[in-house]
Amino acid sequence: MAQPLRLEPRPVIEIHSPATLNKIGEVTIDAAADVRAAIATARAAFRQWSTLDFKQRANVLLSARDLLLARQEDIIQTICAENGKPRMEAISEFFYVCDVITFYAKQAKRFLKPERVTPHLLRNKKVAVHYEPRGVIGLITPWNFPFILTIGEAIPALMAGNAVVIKPSEWTPLIAKLGCEILQQAFTKAGLPAEILQVVNGYGETGGALVDEADMIAFTGSVNTGKRIAERAAKRLIPVSLELGGKDPMIVCRDADVERAANAAVWGAFTNSGQVCISVERVYVDESIADEFTKRVVEKTKQLRQGIDEKNSEQRVDVGAMTFPRQIETVEDHVNDAKAHGATILTGGQRNPNLSGRFYEPTVLANVDHSMKIMTEETFGPVLPIMRVKNEDEALRLANDSIYGLNASVWTKDKTKGERLAAQVEAGMICVNDVLVGFAVTDAPSGGLKESGIGKRHGAHGIRRFCHEQVIITDRFGLKREMIWYPYTAQTERLMLRVLGALFSTRLSQKLKALLGDKNK
Ligand code: NAD
């Protein structure tokens, strides 16, 4: 990135591991001028990148995938170090990014090929919709999946022919930097400008500067920031996609497979320390199986191992640290609020006293209801509140009693009933007898309703959102003059009225009358 001339050293953000609290790196903060410079070089790079065909772009990204695979261990360790997650979860992030490269390298051409439209009226025109790259896409991203939501999110934008500038979370910028450097190697190896993909660092101000310069913003993060970004983007009338928070319900019916549902609840609530936008954040379980389900959930939760993975040891942990200091305070606030309103802590309920980093114990709560924050606000931490319900109707009503509508799950051995119930949940993606798997289905649109956001990632939509639709209409017959062109005459007016009547009258007799001309008119 071309740097403007500076006389003073740039301020830095120090990065500390949430698991050890040790400093692990730092990044310099980019001011608005730096962001402008990045966008300018990205725009120049875009002009070259966008002229490549899909195969050429795919080849570059597939060679980037090879370079990523060659740096696999560095990538996994960087994710673990700055985010605090177990190795298995970092490997899942890496897996996703390799998969999303593979998927869009293969499918971009199909998703973005011009679509012929047969006009219902103007049959004398040839019409095609083309998907053209928007230019420079700005990605503003959170800390919970720092590789997936930066490099992974950039892939469809790049495959569509855009340049991309990422503003990663100030809490986890190191993996975006590493991933970007690796992709830049693939660009330069192919004789292309490295500036096709760049990273700018900083807090909200840097993100705001990106909104002021980019041609589109794809934001992933909290509802409040999403609204602020949408307002700022509105001033320039640039498109935004907003992937925001969730409060995902799990509905466990009386005929559920209790063992599978309990295993899913525990993993769905505690993976990534519950810092997943599609975590299981609340359970509604039929009262007839509630005791058995809760007993199994608590037993399984107590067996979880929390801490830090050492690569060279055979021991592995299940639950890592909490990345963001304010998030662990939110978790404490929600648990305290629930306790104050009568909830029971069945296990956990505190920071892990045996670990020095930011670890909150996997926590299961009972006797909860919708007067508590734990059932209505996004907790985004390792807490699983379980509420007993009389029946499916009550579960559905409570599941939909939320400002959010991101993901959900329904548990029943009757799959037809499961799909019927799923269709009644107000959410963008609902699993039947599964959790969190929606994000891995890169073929299908993923995103939320209500305050969970606008726009979808994945599938055809996930790449088309980074394009503008350009319609090309070609005249087929080459008449000297179209009926509605000048000069306006009484004769063409009569003709127009006949066509109008013939086309839009409902009854055949009226159509004929219009076509032949109504003598009384
Ligand atoms: P956040 O909104 O605090 O920050 C996200 C990003 O926005 C960061 O890079 C931050 O620096 C930047 N930012 C902050 N203020 C800004 C401003 N005024 N202008 C421009 N940029 C600004 O979110 P977070 O705490 O990093 O992430 C957690 C949230 O992300 C949760 O709510 C979670 O549900 C959500 N999330 C959603 C999805 C999804 O796909 N729906 C995925 C992951 C996380």
Side-chain angles (χ1 to χ4, degrees):
M1 184 206 326
Q3 297 296 342
L5 186 65
R6 287 178 177 283
L7 300 175
E8 289 173 10
R10 294 205 282 174
V12 298
I13 302 175
E14 292 191 352
I15 311 304
H16 293 86
S17 158
T20 64
L21 306 182
N22 294 332
K23 183 179 167 185
I24 53 169
E26 62 181 36
V27 291
T28 47
I29 295 180
D30 290 297
D34 303 304
V35 174
R36 267 197 300 281
I39 294 279
T41 53
R43 243 182 247 300
F46 163 71
R47 282 193 278 280
Q48 205 172 333
W49 178 242
S50 59
T51 59
L52 268 53
D53 62 27
F54 288 109
K55 191 156 192 304
Q56 290 168 319
R57 287 204 283 267
N59 284 342
V60 176
L61 292 184
L62 291 173
S63 85
R65 187 185 60 183
D66 288 338
L67 295 176
L68 290 168
L69 283 165
R71 299 285 301 276
Q72 176 169 297
E73 191 51 34
D74 289 343
I75 291 170
I76 292 164
Q77 286 192 20
T78 306
I79 299 172
C80 290
E82 70 177 348
N83 174 279
K85 62 181 71 182
R87 278 179 63 84
M88 184 70 180
E89 292 170 6
I91 293 168
S92 298
E93 284 210 52
F94 186 56
F95 197 108
Y96 171 93
V97 172
C98 292
D99 180 52
V100 91
I101 292 175
T102 313
F103 177 71
Y104 280 114
K106 200 164 157 194
Q107 302 295 347
K109 185 176 176 188
R110 179 166 71 88
F111 290 146
L112 300 184
K113 75 167 191 283
E115 284 175 346
R116 272 293 290 275
V117 174
T118 307
H120 76 283
L121 184 61
L122 299 176
R123 294 295 175 95
N124 56 340
K125 311 293 169 195
K126 180 181 152 207
V127 182
V129 182
H130 295 250
Y131 294 96
E132 298 296 332
R134 292 185 184 277
V136 182
I137 308 294
L139 304 184
I140 302 177
T141 63
W143 41 262
N144 61 333
F145 286 95
F147 194 44
I148 286 180
L149 296 172
T150 55
I151 303 302
E153 183 82 333
I155 299 305
L158 290 169
M159 265 314 296
N162 299 283
V164 175
V165 177
I166 305 172
K167 207 302 278 172
S169 169
E170 54 274 34
W171 294 94
T172 54
L174 301 180
I175 187 59
K177 182 169 178 279
L178 176 60
C180 179
E181 282 165 8
I182 296 171
L183 261 70
Q184 286 183 336
Q185 282 170 22
F187 294 133
T188 45
K189 231 173 79 186
L192 293 160
E195 293 80 7
I196 293 167
L197 179 67
Q198 297 176 63
V199 172
V200 291
N201 283 302
Y203 300 98
E205 298 76 42
T206 310
L210 193 56
V211 182
D212 292 342
E213 300 293 333
D215 300 312
M216 174 192 172
I217 294 292
F219 171 76
T220 309
S222 64
V223 172
N224 284 342
T225 310
K227 286 180 180 174
R228 248 179 262 143
I229 285 175
E231 277 177 25
R232 193 155 175 166
K235 297 210 171 86
R236 296 183 56 229
L237 285 180
I238 57 162
V240 284
S241 70
L242 304 172
E243 309 286 338
L244 309 178
K247 187 75 192 170
D248 294 0
M250 173 178 194
I251 297 176
V252 188
C253 301
R254 63 173 56 216
D255 62 346
D257 176 337
V258 176
E259 179 63 11
R260 182 170 166 82
N263 279 325
V266 172
W267 182 73
F270 303 134
T271 186
N272 217 41
S273 284
Q275 305 164 118
V276 187
C277 54
I278 52 174
S279 282
V280 175
E281 285 245 343
R282 49 196 171 119
V283 177
Y284 302 102
V285 57
D286 191 287
E287 59 189 7
S288 62
I289 57 160
D291 289 340
E292 183 58 24
F293 172 81
T294 307
K295 183 169 126 269
R296 291 194 200 195
V297 165
V298 172
E299 278 168 11
K300 291 170 196 297
T301 303
K302 285 182 171 163
Q303 285 164 20
L304 295 176
R305 300 152 301 173
Q306 190 166 37
I308 308 169
D309 275 332
E310 301 296 338
K311 185 193 170 223
N312 295 325
S313 155
E314 279 300 297
Q315 299 296 318
R316 287 290 175 263
V317 298
D318 302 303
V319 182
M322 293 205 63
T323 316
F324 181 37
R326 224 179 313 135
Q327 204 64 46
I328 202 165
E329 289 164 16
T330 301
V331 171
E332 287 175 323
D333 175 45
H334 286 193
V335 171
N336 290 339
D337 172 77
K339 264 195 305 189
H341 285 85
T344 313
I345 296 176
L346 301 179
T347 183
Q350 58 174 359
R351 291 184 193 226
N352 191 322
N354 304 316
L355 296 166
S356 53
R358 259 191 314 274
F359 292 88
Y360 196 89
E361 289 180 346
T363 298
V364 181
L365 301 179
N367 298 319
V368 291
D369 61 41
H370 279 220
S371 69
M372 303 170 187
K373 293 180 190 178
I374 203 78
M375 295 302 279
T376 54
E377 296 179 17
E378 187 183 46
T379 307
F380 218 57
V383 184
L384 183 63
I386 302 176
M387 184 169 174
R388 303 163 79 96
V389 290
K390 286 198 185 59
N391 52 36
E392 289 145 13
D393 287 343
E394 187 183 8
L396 270 175
R397 182 178 59 73
L398 290 164
N400 289 336
D401 176 24
S402 174
I403 59 163
Y404 295 108
L406 195 52
N407 263 249
S409 64
V410 175
W411 296 80
T412 164
K413 287 190 187 131
D414 178 348
K415 290 181 191 154
T416 309
K417 178 177 87 175
E419 287 169 10
R420 179 172 51 75
L421 291 174
Q424 295 174 71
V425 180
E426 294 163 4
M429 192 172 265
I430 302 104
C431 298
V432 178
N433 298 332
D434 217 325
V435 276
L436 273 58
V437 72
F439 201 89
V441 184
T442 40
D443 317 65
S446 146
L449 310 178
K450 301 180 181 175
E451 297 217 356
S452 289
I454 302 171
K456 309 266 176 186
R457 57 165 64 92
H458 295 159
H461 189 96
I463 187 163
R464 287 182 184 167
R465 76 189 154 130
F466 295 121
C467 300
H468 62 86
E469 289 162 359
Q470 187 180 53
V471 180
I472 297 184
I473 303 163
T474 309
D475 177 58
R476 291 171 65 199
F477 300 142
L479 300 177
K480 295 293 174 226
R481 189 169 80 84
E482 298 284 332
M483 185 172 68
I484 59 163
W485 290 1
Y486 294 137
Y488 299 148
T489 64
Q491 193 188 5
T492 49
E493 182 187 307
R494 277 194 294 279
L495 186 58
M496 187 85 166
L497 288 171
R498 282 184 187 190
V499 171
L500 188 121
L503 281 175
F504 303 125
S505 299
T506 308
R507 294 210 310 272
L508 184 63
S509 59
Q510 286 174 318
K511 282 180 184 291
L512 284 172
K513 200 165 159 188
L515 202 58
L516 298 172
D518 188 345
K519 300 280 182 311
N520 300 325
K521 282 191 183 166

